Amino acid sequence: MSIPATIGDFSVLPVSIPPLPSFPRKVVHHLYVRRSTPKIPTETDARSLFVTNVPVDSTEAHLRSLVTSLVGSGRFESATFEDERKDANNPSPVAAAQPASAAILLRVHGRKRKREEEEEERDKETLARIPSAWTRPLRRSGGTAVVLLADEKSVEQVLKAIAKAHKTRKYPTWGLAGGSAGGKAPPVPPLGSAWLRAHNRLSYPDRAALQASVDAFSALFADREREAAEIAKRLRNEPDEDGFVTVTRGARAAPASQSEAEEARRKMLEKERKRKEELANFYRFQLRERRKEEQAELLKRFADDRKKLDAMRSKKGKFVPET
Amino acid sequence: MDSNPAKRRKLDHAQDDAEVALAAAASAGISRSTTFVLEAEELLEYVCPDYDAAFSGADGLLHRIKGLVEGIEAHDQLQIAEAAAKLEKKHKIKVPFPEPRPDGSSNYKVAFAAPSKFNVVGSYVFKTMVKTQKNPAVDMVVVIPESVLQEKDYLDMRYFYKRAYYLAVIAAALKKELGAQGQLSYEYLHGNPLCPVLVFQPKGPAAGTTEPEPPRSQDFRIRILPSAPEGFFPAAKLHLGASLIRKARDGEAPSEPTPFYNSTVAAESTFFPYLKVLRQAEKKSKGFRKACVLGRIWLQQRGFGSDVAQGGFGQFEWALVLALLLQGGDKKGQAALSASLSSTQLFKAMIQFLSVTNFSEKAYVFGSAKADLDAHVESGPVLYDAARQLNIAFKMGSWSAALLHQHARWTRSLLAENAGDQFTPTFILKADVPAHSFDFIAHLDPKKAADQAGLDPRGPAWRLGSRVYRILKRALADNDMGERARVIHVKASACAPWALADGPARETAPLEIGVVFDPLRMARTVDRGPVAGPSAEQQQECARFRKFWGEKAELRRFEGDDARETLVWSSTTPFALCEEIVRYILGRHLKVDKELAVYGGRLPALLSLKPADTAVFNVAKKAFDVFERDVRGLDDLPLRVRQIAPVCAELRHASVSLPELDPSKSWRRPLECVISFEASGKWPESLIAIQRTKIAFLIMIGSLLEKSKPGDVRTHVGLEDSAYDDENLAFLDVLYENGPAFRLRVHSDLEESLLQRQSKNKMSEPWKRQRAATLLASFRRLYVHLPLHNQYMTTCATRFPALSPTLRLVKHWFNAHKLACHFTPEFMELAVLRVFLAPHPWEAPTSPATGFTRVLAFLAHWDWRSDALILDTSGEMTAADRSAIATRLDAWRKIDPHMNHTVLFVATAQEPSGTAWTTLDGQPKPPKVAAARMTSLAKTASRLIKDKGVGLDVRTLFVPSLKEYDVLLHLNKKVLKAALATYPGEPAEAYAASDADAPQHAKFKNLSAHAGEPPLPLAQHPADALLKRLDAVYSHGGPLLFFRGGSPDDATIGAVWNPRMPARTFRVSLPTAYKPASAAAVEAGRKRRAEKKEEESGDEGENRGGEEEEKEEDMVEVDREAILAEIARIGGDVIERIEVKDSS
């Protein structure tokens, strides 16, 4: 069966997968490619390609080699995978660790930092990240990626090359062939047993490094917390330009912790319960109501049993003695 | 004076309809356990056959037979041998004389005259038959006229010779007339060789059609039972102690009493009196008939029947005992039971009666008997009806009476419980499969029986059986030494019907011996017998002991005790001990050796389970205690340790393999624990920050431990394989140089309340709440439920000695069938615990073999779609608690009818939510497919156990069937092994494709960079890590579902394609790799969609795209080959071969 050249507004890019000893078959994997048109346009859209159904073991190097084999070297700039883009939404664990209210305060009222300060901060945040335990991530099956090319012309060329590949039936090969990565880029870590071993090795990071990372995190976290508290304190008595005073948490000398509040609430409920208990069975109507309830309960149980029985009856074999 | 009558009246009136309804309910017998009553009613409705349809033509046939019998020509006295020879010559019919047959020289005379009375008796007239009965029979009693008999005929089997002849004459007549319309054969009435009867099996309902149909089990038969006239034989002469077979072959005159013979003679003339008794009872009590049907089902499910081989206690005996209890059975002449009781109440009363009267040990008498009957209990159970002077239980053996007593006690304890399902174990489950019931099963070759002399007419096999029982009872259930066995059962085979021209078939089936252990006492290796003292009494006692045990008995002095006769056994496991004792004692007394075949002990050998394993588990527990002390002893921790709790199977006696205590092993599975600190306000109020703080704690504990025990302990902080920063991030591996390894995780209580708050926060987005709920569930699982579970299972393991080996066997079964990766170990443990905590219709299993087979039976039987697995772990769960759990399951099924989130539902008293052990990270564990596979595998296994009986090779139960998998991934064991060791010194990037490719490592071990350096522990086994990655990429509603056992040696991963991913329209975001569809796939996809529309069921897995217009050229299908190629690339050298089943 011939492979269609397009599907919807996507061009189909068949990639031949070299056989492996464990699965010695020639397989064709289909990537679907089109110009990138995200909902929120960015400045690089014009020279980007949107690729979907990327193989799970894709890396930037893989896509680079693919583009190279289609239109030659020097056109490929970078590739961003689906999961990496999601990561971009929550930039640092420290920020995510802040309570929402503090985060808002910091964003709105925090003082503007200078660039070098910001860079320093970013370095610290990078340090505060827990190192990954895998040398190489696996992509989502059927996932997407955005490939950034050198210029708009390259996009055109790639799409043309795909169309040509269909005609000549010469599909590019998946892998890191040709060393066209330029030698400078770090080699792609292998999968298989080496990958699993490296995982185990990375699962046990150097203790000092881990300690440093945790320390960096704690320091940053404490800083942010303090800063947020200061802003909150400042705002407490300070009307803004419209004359409103922002309501902030922590008006008391020591901020009320939520657990304390819960404790107080529990105590109150306990008190209430005790009071009620003392008056139970005190009035005649209470006795009467209780008895009524019990009867209703009994009747309800009876009805429930009936219902259960009906349910059992509807299923076969519940009333057949086993033989 | 009533001051306010109006008000009072109103109040009274307010005790309204509810009360009336309740009173009505109570009077109808629905007072307490209504469910049981309703279910029993429903059962009765179901099992009662439609008599008109099932027995169409029976009445006509009976009339016809009556006419034919009446028409037989009478003849005068003839010499018995002569008459028999005549019959054989003329009609080709053998007279079914009982053994010993009358010899030719005997001068007994036989005659024939028309019966004095006909009547139809038995369950046909009382309508107490059930559908599940095999070969229902209509019994017609034919009374032999007095003219043919003499009063002294009760002696020396004369009556039975005459009776046999009478029957043969009738057979001859019927053969002539009815031979073409059915099949005539002889059969023993209730397996009693004294009483042959004639059986007529009509040839199918449409008689006359040419097609000969084999008789269906539902086809009725007519039995013709000759009987003696009522009151013909003098009852006084037939008492249990009389010796009525006086003519012994060898000339000497034995005066041994012949109770079975006597009772058979007495029973021969009681058909009509008992018919009357039953009629009266039926008239008097409305529930009587139904109670009899319930009794029949109860007995049938336990393998009891009127037949001697079935225990000799069947529906007739049940009805009789119940009627006598209703009639005024007890000593004061008052009725023991009220006639106004309902059927279920009568049933329960009967169970109660059977459970408190052990008539195999003490005679029970209805009415008042003059004679003392207790002396006769030695020869068999006595249940004496004084009015008719008959021992109702005369067909029973002591063992069947004991087993009946035991079953009644088990059922009573079930009925006394106020919660749980009482109905199914009582009436539905089959409780007579030997592999389910007995811990030890042996078969004794019946050829051995030939040399068993004796007078008992029940035959040599019976005589052998009763000797075996007496010997084993003395050997295994000796009260003074402590009963090793709770139940000893002997079962002989039943005698099949035989043709008119033949004699009865010789018994060839082996004698079956079953033993239920007392697990603690059966493990005893030294038996202490009587004290060897100087007194005459003591000496006599010792002599008896020596006589019974032979040379095995030896004199020993015990510390702080007298010298005693002692038995020392060499085996170690309870099963082997039992076998040793049985072989020895039967060999000594009956000279059996090779004739005895023993079954049931193979299961534990599969895993080489030993009693010493408990000790290893205990050593692990001790090592844990040391570890706990070491951690608690650290002075510089900022918070005080509140608790360190074990959370792994190794520390609750439940792991398949023993805990690894040997530090030299290349890979030690660490024993997992959690540590919690005293409450502190210092934890930061942020999940992410808490997780970092935990890491700091772990690092601190690690370095403090290393400092406090230098050289003795190595610690490594490891990272969890977690995707987000607010999950638990790290653990601490503590490796003792001379002991096991531990894995520690930190519990922070603030984490729980934060998660709780997040999951309830209405302000945040639903996915955030969902995520918080999932995290909360994981949190509770690890830090709350698991420690409790561990504690509870440890207690149970001590309470039930058979629990730990059963757990391990069942887990091994799950492993063998590659199910283990889909089930949590805790679920498997609770499923096993189910048969221990709710063992009905038996008591808790007493050996791993019975435990394992019953777990399989339970799994096969469990309808998890609608039933929750509820375990009363506290012992005080109420019916309300149970129904609350059931309601919760219903609710789940309503929100999630396709079971994408919750499949199995397992609730305990500590964990009533029901999903803690059956969901993991928001995914069902197991998914529906795996759960269904478990059920079908368990069903197959249970059927095998039932069908093949004891001869089953248990190993076959553990052979995985690989042909059901679409894809098999064969892992390379060598590569996996090479991947086990990693060293702290090496950079992660240095690992090459495979160490096997780098031979210099192997050649010069000492030259490698990390010589002498101890390797890192394993965060997870590489095969597990790989499977987890593959799962994350392809499972969870994806295209493939993987199956693998839990043991690291399992080198084959099975996988099945998701059948619910047909070809579909192309979209930007596809759930997995798709390729442009071929025409066939498009067609299949369209068909499937059409079906789905018809079903109108919204399925999440596929409806994500919604209904898009179908454009043929835009169709895509799952690219299976590409996916497999991806897997091959991910696995690299770890996967040796991918085997694909042909999709054709």
Side-chain angles (χ1 to χ4, degrees), chain B residues 238-264:
Chain B
L238 300 175
H239 66 89
L240 291 178
S243 171
L244 298 181
I245 304 181
R246 293 172 191 165
K247 246 191 202 165
R249 281 290 141 95
D250 41 15
E252 62 178 295
S255 56
E256 228 177 282
T258 50
F260 181 75
Y261 176 86
N262 306 359
S263 298
T264 310

Side-chain angles (χ1 to χ4, degrees), chain A residues 288-306, chain B residues 16 18-19 22 31-32 34 878-881 883-884 887:
Chain A
R288 206 163 57 223
E289 269 170 9
R290 209 195 58 206
R291 209 160 48 216
K292 234 179 181 170
E293 263 167 32
E294 276 167 10
Q295 284 167 0
E297 176 66 21
L298 263 173
L299 278 178
K300 191 178 146 272
R301 258 214 324 261
F302 186 64
D304 282 353
D305 286 345
R306 272 259 168 245
Chain B
D16 49 9
E19 205 132 282
L22 274 180
S31 48
R32 257 181 73 236
T34 40
T878 61
D881 294 339
S883 68
T887 315

